Amino acid sequence: MSMLLAEIITRGTLGGESAVAGLSRSIQLSVAPVFLLTSISGLIGTFSTRLARIIDRTRFIQEAMERGDLAQAKRLREALEVQRRRTFLINRAILCTTVTALLVAGVVAVMFISAVAALDLAAIVVPVFVLAMIALIVGLVLFLLEVQLAIRQNPRRYY
């Protein structure tokens, strides 16, 4: 690797291609995953907002339980259990989506290194990107489950 860097520095070329052109190509290859990172950050923001709303709702239910309305105690305990399940699902969705962002960032770094160092690192990029997509799919499915659970909690409000 140090010989490759020495060649770039002394000759200004990389395998017949100028170092600047190679760098430019690596930046171009990294643009699509960077857009994906932007989208993922939007998802994480959405999931975090939902988590905050779930926490607020949980506090409201707990305060109602503390007021001691025995007639509604069973209904409130059931509602609290639903909030617990929603919290679990959205937390896991945030985890999976964050793992996706980390893996995509790793793909960008490896692609950049691959282009600059003129190494074929496709054997690393492909499985890491596939793992990122699997993590994203799992995160979105968990989010869908959480939304469905929220709708089932208050079915009359949505029809």
Side-chain angles (χ1 to χ4, degrees), residues 39-83:
S39 300
I40 291 168
S41 71
L43 282 174
I44 292 172
T46 299
F47 296 170
S48 297
T49 300
R50 286 193 70 86
L51 178 61
R53 292 184 56 107
I54 293 167
I55 290 169
D56 290 344
R57 176 93 171 126
T58 301
R59 286 186 185 139
F60 176 78
I61 293 168
Q62 288 171 337
E63 288 171 4
M65 287 176 75
E66 288 172 4
R67 285 193 294 269
D69 188 355
L70 296 176
Q72 293 186 353
K74 182 181 178 193
R75 187 181 62 81
L76 291 173
R77 276 194 302 277
E78 289 171 359
L80 200 56
E81 179 59 27
V82 170
Q83 296 306 310

Side-chain angles (χ1 to χ4, degrees), residues 55-125:
I55 290 169
D56 290 344
R57 176 93 171 126
T58 301
R59 286 186 185 139
F60 176 78
I61 293 168
Q62 288 171 337
E63 288 171 4
M65 287 176 75
E66 288 172 4
R67 285 193 294 269
D69 188 355
L70 296 176
Q72 293 186 353
K74 182 181 178 193
R75 187 181 62 81
L76 291 173
R77 276 194 302 277
E78 289 171 359
L80 200 56
E81 179 59 27
V82 170
Q83 296 306 310
R84 189 194 63 74
R85 285 183 287 185
R86 287 182 64 200
T87 301
F88 175 81
L89 289 170
I90 204 70
N91 269 327
R92 292 302 182 264
I94 291 169
L95 174 69
C96 289
T97 310
T98 302
V99 166
T100 300
L102 292 170
L103 290 171
V104 170
V107 165
V108 170
V110 169
M111 286 173 57
F112 191 78
I113 291 167
S114 176
V116 170
L119 298 171
D120 184 15
L121 299 176
I124 296 171
V125 170

